[in-house]
Amino acid sequence: LEITGYNAKAVKILFDYVAGYGDMMENEDNFEILADMIRLCDFYGIQKPVPLISHKISTIKLSMTNLLSCKRACQVLQNLEKFTMLTKNLEDRCNTFARAN
């Protein structure tokens, strides 16, 4: 199976998680990688890790160093109908943080 169009790290972490090796997912805090993992789950119909990934995205602490990554993750997620609420909440967090800083 050749998987193209996705971040290589996102693919590795997701498929390691599905295979039972979830350690790397627990440590991942890059919005773009997590968003790409959700996109991959959506495309292939993988349901199990979606709540965990969504929770991680919702709880990552925003900073000036990851604000652009957060905005890019919103761009990735906005094309996925199932994740409109997650996208809206993430966009709101980004905008609120940007205004405050």
Side-chain angles (χ1 to χ4, degrees), residues 57-99:
I57 288 174
S58 298
T59 58
I60 294 173
K61 184 176 176 165
L62 278 168
S63 67
M64 292 306 283
T65 57
N66 68 4
L67 183 60
L68 287 177
S69 176
C70 181
K71 290 298 251 181
R72 286 190 290 262
C74 290
Q75 291 173 339
V76 168
L77 294 172
Q78 73 183 358
N79 298 320
L80 305 175
E81 281 185 37
K82 296 178 195 173
F83 302 98
T84 54
M85 186 58 70
L86 176 64
T87 305
K88 182 181 176 348
N89 290 340
L90 190 57
E91 285 176 335
D92 290 347
R93 283 181 59 208
C94 288
N95 294 336
T96 300
F97 180 83
R99 279 191 293 266

Side-chain angles (χ1 to χ4, degrees), residues 4 14 19 24 31 46-47 59 66 79 82 92:
T4 58
L14 179 64
M24 286 184 71
F31 285 107
I46 303 168
Q47 298 298 317
T59 58
N66 68 4
N79 298 320
K82 296 178 195 173
D92 290 347

Side-chain angles (χ1 to χ4, degrees), residues 30-48:
N30 182 300
F31 285 107
E32 292 173 272
I33 290 174
L34 293 167
D36 224 25
M37 290 169 67
I38 284 186
R39 189 169 67 100
L40 191 59
C41 285
D42 183 64
F43 185 80
Y44 285 100
I46 303 168
Q47 298 298 317
K48 183 179 177 190

